[in-house]
Amino acid sequence: MRCAKSLFVMTLALCPVTAVHALPSDSSQPIRIQANAATLDDKRNTAVYTGDVIITQGSMRLAGSRVTLTRDAQGQLNKMVTQGGPATYQQTQQANEPPVKARAQTIEYYAADERVVLIDDAFLEQSGNTFQGDYVSYDVRAQVVNAGRNTSTGASGAESNGNGRIEITIQPRSRGNAAQPPAEPDTGESESSAP
């Protein structure tokens, strides 16, 4: 019974994950956690889910081989760390827009900051723009991407997979007016008018 109660509490702790910049209906959707096994530690306020873990709530989907959840002293979700080969994250920010999609060997979600951190083989796609490297941080609230070296632990991209370089592809913004056909080059010949 204690395990079931703890599992229920940990499930409720996930509610803030999608509350601010997700679809408005996400926060009212039930949370589903699928895994092969779960270990819950009330003293340390942690829960570890292993074996093809899938967490969903509305449009949010987080998947990996191991997910560790930690709560603060008040029982609110503090941090969620997902590991996989790779771990994946997806969430629709606004209706009629494609979802933000991300993958990495490790995905860290910081609930208070509403920030997703992708570590090692990181890839994030937002509205057709892509960010790829060893470290990508995504501020969900501000919709700001920071790609480069992992400054939070002092590790650099060179230490994790080679050159530490990032690759970014930015799609052109669509303009309100239809494109005008290019002007024909002036060849110096005058056009003759038909009789």
Side-chain angles (χ1 to χ4, degrees), residues 24-152:
S25 62
D26 278 359
S27 62
S28 64
Q29 299 296 316
I31 297 170
R32 291 190 53 157
I33 301 172
Q34 299 172 336
N36 293 341
T39 302
L40 308 166
D41 186 339
D42 281 339
K43 288 184 181 179
R44 292 189 172 132
N45 290 327
T46 62
V48 178
Y49 300 94
T50 56
D52 194 23
V53 184
I54 300 171
I55 299 174
T56 58
Q57 182 184 30
S59 72
M60 189 274 293
R61 184 179 193 276
L62 185 66
S65 58
R66 177 185 176 98
V67 177
T68 303
L69 303 175
T70 58
R71 296 177 290 152
D72 61 18
Q74 291 76 35
Q76 297 296 315
L77 178 67
N78 185 30
K79 183 178 177 183
M80 182 166 40
V81 178
T82 307
Q83 297 168 316
T88 61
Y89 165 85
Q90 177 176 308
Q91 187 166 26
T92 301
Q93 303 296 310
Q94 296 178 11
N96 302 320
E97 285 190 10
V100 171
K101 295 181 179 180
R103 68 177 181 266
Q105 294 303 312
T106 301
I107 298 177
E108 297 177 350
Y109 178 81
Y110 295 88
D113 299 338
E114 296 180 56
R115 185 168 48 103
V116 177
V117 176
L118 313 169
I119 302 169
D120 199 12
D121 295 326
F123 176 86
L124 183 130
E125 180 178 2
Q126 176 190 35
S127 300
N129 301 322
T130 61
F131 305 85
Q132 187 169 347
D134 293 323
Y135 175 89
V136 175
S137 176
Y138 177 61
D139 184 325
V140 177
R141 184 182 307 138
Q143 296 183 3
V144 172
V145 177
N146 179 12
R149 296 176 181 230
N150 184 352
T151 57
S152 64

